[in-house]
């Protein structure tokens, strides 16, 4: 990998299609937001974006770059076989390729896929009962949540079939003993899905500090009502412009 610095990355603005550039900017913004919220895990975990067009090509992070320094031009374009499709000084994380290629190949609506290893996400993913109906955030999330059992570090391509079967048509997933995952048709949807999933997990960890016998589960009638109310999903379009303004104030430079 070159010297690993941002200065070693040449700008791709004007050198790729407008559609690809926008996908790059949106994806770089997601990486920066994850860093800003403290959800990153050094250089590990991954967020990807499928590029417009008939080919299953997608963008993923260069292995070795921290999320808080990610830029649109630094992102690496690959295909479903993991082949790098551009000139770049970087390579990719094979575990990230396994998870993301599986979902991009199987789900036409999964234009963006985010996978994290936060403390609270891993904590809930390791709890036998998974995400409990303890909060409004949890009730919302549970309507869109799937589970996938842990099989080890995601280097075995055979796992892709089982991962796809487990997520089905859901927008969110708890990877048991591992972390969280969300998908979205847009960066905005992927972001707001992860925001709610991570917040629900954090709230559960905090609530269970009082002991399982001392927490109040939401009434079943309320759970059913929220499920009916959430039939259209979370969306996220309203929150996304504000998230970008937050980046422009706090961690600018992703869109280069």
């Amino acid at each position: 990998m070159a010297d690993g610095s941002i200065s070693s990355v040449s700008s791709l603005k004007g050198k790729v299609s407008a559609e690809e550039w926008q996908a790059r900017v949106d994806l770089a913004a997601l990486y920066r937001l994850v860093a800003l919220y403290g959800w990153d895990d050094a250089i590990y975990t991954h967020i990807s974006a499928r590029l417009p067009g008939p080919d299953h090509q997608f963008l993923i992070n260069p292995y070795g770059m921290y999320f808080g320094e990610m830029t649109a031009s630094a992102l690496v374009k690959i295909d479903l076989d993991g082949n790098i499709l551009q000139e770049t000084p970087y390579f990719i994380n094979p575990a990230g390729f396994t998870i993301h290629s599986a979902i991009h190949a199987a789900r036409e609506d999964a234009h963006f896929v985010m996978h994290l290893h936060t403390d609270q996400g891993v904590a809930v993913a390791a709890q036998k009962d998974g995400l409990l109906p303890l909060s409004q955030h949890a009730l919302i999330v549970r309507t869109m949540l799937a589970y996938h059992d842990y099989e080890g570090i995601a280097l075995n391509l055979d796992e892709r079939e089982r991962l796809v079967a487990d997520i089905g048509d859901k927008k969110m997933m708890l990877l048991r003993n591992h972390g969280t995952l969300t998908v979205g048709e847009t960066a905005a949807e992927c972001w707001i899905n992860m925001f709610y999933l991570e917040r629900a997990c954090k709230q559960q960890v905090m609530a269970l500090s009082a002991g399982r016998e001392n927490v109040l589960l939401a009434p079943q009638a309320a759970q059913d009502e929220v499920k009916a109310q959430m039939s259209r999903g979370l969306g996220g379009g309203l929150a996304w412009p504000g998230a970008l303004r937050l980046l422009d104030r706090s961690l600018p430079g992703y869109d280069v």
Side-chain angles (χ1 to χ4, degrees), residues 112-147:
F112 289 82
V113 180
M114 183 185 297
H115 167 48
L116 304 178
H117 296 161
T118 65
D119 294 342
Q120 61 266 18
V122 174
V124 174
Q127 293 175 13
K128 184 169 67 172
D129 293 327
L131 187 66
L132 298 168
L134 293 175
S135 66
Q136 178 166 282
H137 282 74
L139 297 190
I140 290 170
V141 165
R142 279 164 56 94
T143 67
M144 296 178 274
L145 186 63
Y147 293 84

Side-chain angles (χ1 to χ4, degrees), residues 11-91:
S11 175
L12 293 177
K13 189 172 185 179
K15 299 177 183 178
V16 298
S17 69
E19 293 79 11
E20 178 175 332
W21 182 249
Q22 187 60 57
R24 285 178 172 275
V25 170
D26 287 344
L27 183 56
L30 287 175
Y31 277 101
R32 295 281 186 115
L33 283 167
V34 167
L36 193 62
Y37 275 74
W39 293 346
D40 47 348
D41 181 18
I43 62 172
Y44 309 103
T45 79
H46 329 277
I47 318 170
S48 61
R50 179 176 172 182
L51 291 172
D55 299 323
H56 279 77
Q57 299 175 351
F58 60 100
L59 302 168
I60 200 164
N61 52 313
Y63 201 17
M65 189 174 287
Y66 274 66
F67 287 16
E69 59 183 356
M70 199 67 65
T71 66
S73 297
L75 293 160
V76 180
K77 185 196 305 188
I78 63 175
D79 63 19
L80 289 178
D81 295 318
N83 298 308
I84 293 177
L85 305 176
Q86 67 180 82
E87 285 191 27
T88 176
Y90 299 105
F91 58 96

Side-chain angles (χ1 to χ4, degrees), residues 59-223:
L59 302 168
I60 200 164
N61 52 313
Y63 201 17
M65 189 174 287
Y66 274 66
F67 287 16
E69 59 183 356
M70 199 67 65
T71 66
S73 297
L75 293 160
V76 180
K77 185 196 305 188
I78 63 175
D79 63 19
L80 289 178
D81 295 318
N83 298 308
I84 293 177
L85 305 176
Q86 67 180 82
E87 285 191 27
T88 176
Y90 299 105
F91 58 96
I92 64 167
N93 184 341
F97 165 73
T98 300
I99 294 171
H100 290 254
S101 63
I103 297 176
H104 282 298
R107 293 275 298 269
E108 288 295 327
D109 64 323
H111 295 169
F112 289 82
V113 180
M114 183 185 297
H115 167 48
L116 304 178
H117 296 161
T118 65
D119 294 342
Q120 61 266 18
V122 174
V124 174
Q127 293 175 13
K128 184 169 67 172
D129 293 327
L131 187 66
L132 298 168
L134 293 175
S135 66
Q136 178 166 282
H137 282 74
L139 297 190
I140 290 170
V141 165
R142 279 164 56 94
T143 67
M144 296 178 274
L145 186 63
Y147 293 84
H148 175 65
D149 287 340
Y150 188 57
E151 299 186 21
I153 297 173
L155 297 174
N156 183 357
L157 295 181
D158 290 343
E159 185 178 353
R160 293 190 291 186
E161 179 180 343
R162 295 180 290 277
L163 192 150
V164 165
D166 286 339
I167 195 171
D169 62 354
K170 301 291 188 182
K171 298 282 190 177
M172 310 179 190
M173 176 180 276
L174 280 177
L175 302 170
R176 291 295 200 174
N177 311 101
H178 186 175
T180 53
L181 184 146
T182 63
V183 305
E185 292 193 34
T186 62
E189 184 185 20
C190 190
W191 166 249
I192 203 67
N193 285 346
M194 185 60 79
F195 179 87
Y196 265 78
L197 177 54
E198 286 290 337
R199 198 162 177 83
C201 288
K202 183 176 181 179
Q203 291 164 350
Q204 176 161 319
V205 170
M206 295 176 74
L208 290 182
S209 66
R212 177 64 183 267
E213 68 280 4
N214 292 318
V215 298
L216 180 66
L217 299 181
Q220 186 59 53
Q223 296 184 45

